[in-house]
């Protein structure tokens, strides 16, 4: 029984990761940030998950999501398919969402809450258009490369803070919150220049396409730009 449970648990984790990559690919194909659908929902008066929750989904870290999340995704999808942009007042936002495409299955049908939920559980395959190619393994790192990455992320923090008129100390505090609690202290210390990541610290921080510290910075940058 324990081995069967672990097998089911592993399959659900894999399905959640595939679902997250699908959401990210759908969003990126539409040239959206993690804040686009949220800002649309606020202007148009419908429910949408917070950008932080969307980030959790995209990173495959939502093992027990609320049903409301799937209804929210389905509502965005329904409005895209129906070209329903009522209530949107911001010109740039309306242009962005009006050029976006709904998520369709391989038969061209618009996904609703049941389809999003089933895909997250692994009961429904990701449509071909949103399947990512086989992801490369985590790159090999030595100390010099880990230090180079650490310095790159520090420089990005300073640049983003400067672009958005944020003080460095405030930037450090807010950017660190984009990382999970277990990773937050080290991430903040690296961004502050107190230490650099060691190769062993970066093990497990590769999502198949990018380093997670880079993802955390992107999440924070999107939030800073939207403020």
């Amino acid at each position: 029984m324990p081995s069967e449970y672990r097998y089911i648990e592993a399959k659900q984790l894999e399905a959640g990761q595939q679902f997250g990559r699908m959401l990210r690919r759908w969003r990126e194909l539409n040239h959206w940030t993690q804040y686009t659908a949220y800002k649309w929902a606020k202007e148009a008066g419908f429910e949408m998950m917070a950008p932080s929750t969307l980030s959790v989904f995209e990173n495959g870290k939502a093992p027990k999501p609320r049903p409301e999340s799937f209804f929210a995704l389905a509502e965005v999808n329904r409005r895209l398919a129906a070209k329903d942009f009522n209530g949107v007042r911001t010109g740039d936002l309306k242009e962005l969402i009006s050029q976006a495409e709904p998520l369709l299955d391989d038969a061209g049908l618009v996904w609703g809450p049941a389809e999003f939920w089933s895909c997250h559980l692994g009961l429904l395959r990701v449509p071909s258009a949103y399947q990512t190619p086989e992801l490369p393994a985590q790159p090999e790192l030595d100390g010099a490369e880990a230090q180079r990455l650490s310095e790159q992320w520090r420089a990005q923090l300073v640049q983003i803070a400067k672009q958005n008129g944020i003080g460095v100390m405030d930037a450090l505090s807010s950017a660190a919150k984009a990382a999970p609690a277990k990773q937050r202290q080290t991430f903040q210390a690296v961004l502050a220049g107190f230490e650099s990541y060691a190769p062993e610290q970066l093990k497990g921080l590769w999502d198949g396409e990018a380093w997670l510290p880079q993802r955390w910075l992107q999440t924070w940058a999107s939030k800073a730009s939207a403020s």
Side-chain angles (χ1 to χ4, degrees):
M1 183 65 71
S3 61
E4 292 179 6
Y5 176 79
R6 284 195 293 271
Y7 173 78
I8 294 171
E9 192 176 48
K11 296 300 289 184
Q12 287 182 335
L13 176 62
E14 181 184 357
Q17 291 171 339
Q18 290 175 350
F19 181 82
R21 288 194 290 269
M22 177 192 73
L23 290 185
R24 182 185 299 150
R25 183 163 174 78
W26 178 35
R27 175 174 63 78
E28 291 177 346
L29 285 171
N30 282 331
H31 307 290
W32 289 10
T33 71
Q34 291 179 331
Y35 284 79
T36 304
Y38 182 71
K39 289 192 288 187
W40 178 12
K42 286 191 70 174
E43 289 201 9
F46 65 92
E47 295 295 322
M48 178 55 189
M49 68 181 73
S52 58
T53 305
L54 178 58
S55 177
V56 169
F57 269 102
E58 289 188 359
N59 288 315
K61 305 293 186 182
K64 296 180 180 179
R66 297 185 305 164
E68 291 90 337
S69 297
F70 302 110
F71 281 95
L73 290 169
E75 180 61 13
V76 169
N77 211 34
R78 183 198 68 78
R79 287 174 182 252
L80 283 176
K83 302 294 183 183
D84 177 3
F85 309 123
N86 291 328
V88 180
R89 301 176 300 278
T90 305
D92 291 346
L93 176 60
K94 189 165 187 177
E95 181 179 0
L96 186 60
I97 62 177
S98 65
Q99 294 174 354
E101 297 291 335
L103 193 150
L104 308 175
D105 66 15
D106 290 345
L109 299 177
V110 179
W111 270 19
E115 287 77 19
F116 281 109
W117 175 79
S118 297
C119 183
H120 186 269
L121 287 180
L123 301 175
L124 195 62
R125 69 189 294 271
V126 171
S128 301
Y130 309 102
Q131 290 181 8
T132 55
E134 186 174 344
L135 298 173
Q138 177 172 309
E140 293 291 331
L141 284 178
D142 58 16
E145 179 61 12
Q147 182 170 349
R148 187 195 68 79
L149 287 169
S150 300
E151 292 171 353
Q152 173 185 307
W153 295 328
R154 281 182 211 124
Q156 287 178 351
L157 173 90
V158 172
Q159 181 182 18
I160 295 164
K162 189 177 295 185
Q163 289 172 345
N164 291 279
I166 305 171
V168 174
M169 294 305 296
D170 288 339
L172 280 170
S173 176
S174 56
K177 293 176 183 176
K182 290 183 179 180
Q183 299 289 344
R184 197 166 295 158
Q185 185 174 353
T186 301
F187 184 50
Q188 187 169 16
V190 169
L191 294 179
F194 295 142
E195 62 182 77
S196 293
Y197 279 114
E200 55 269 20
Q201 289 177 302
L202 287 172
K203 286 182 179 177
L205 296 186
W206 174 257
D207 72 357
E209 297 175 316
W211 294 102
L212 289 181
Q214 182 68 51
R215 295 286 190 201
W216 301 333
L217 269 177
Q218 290 170 344
T219 298
W220 168 71
S222 296
K223 185 175 182 180
S225 300
S227 299

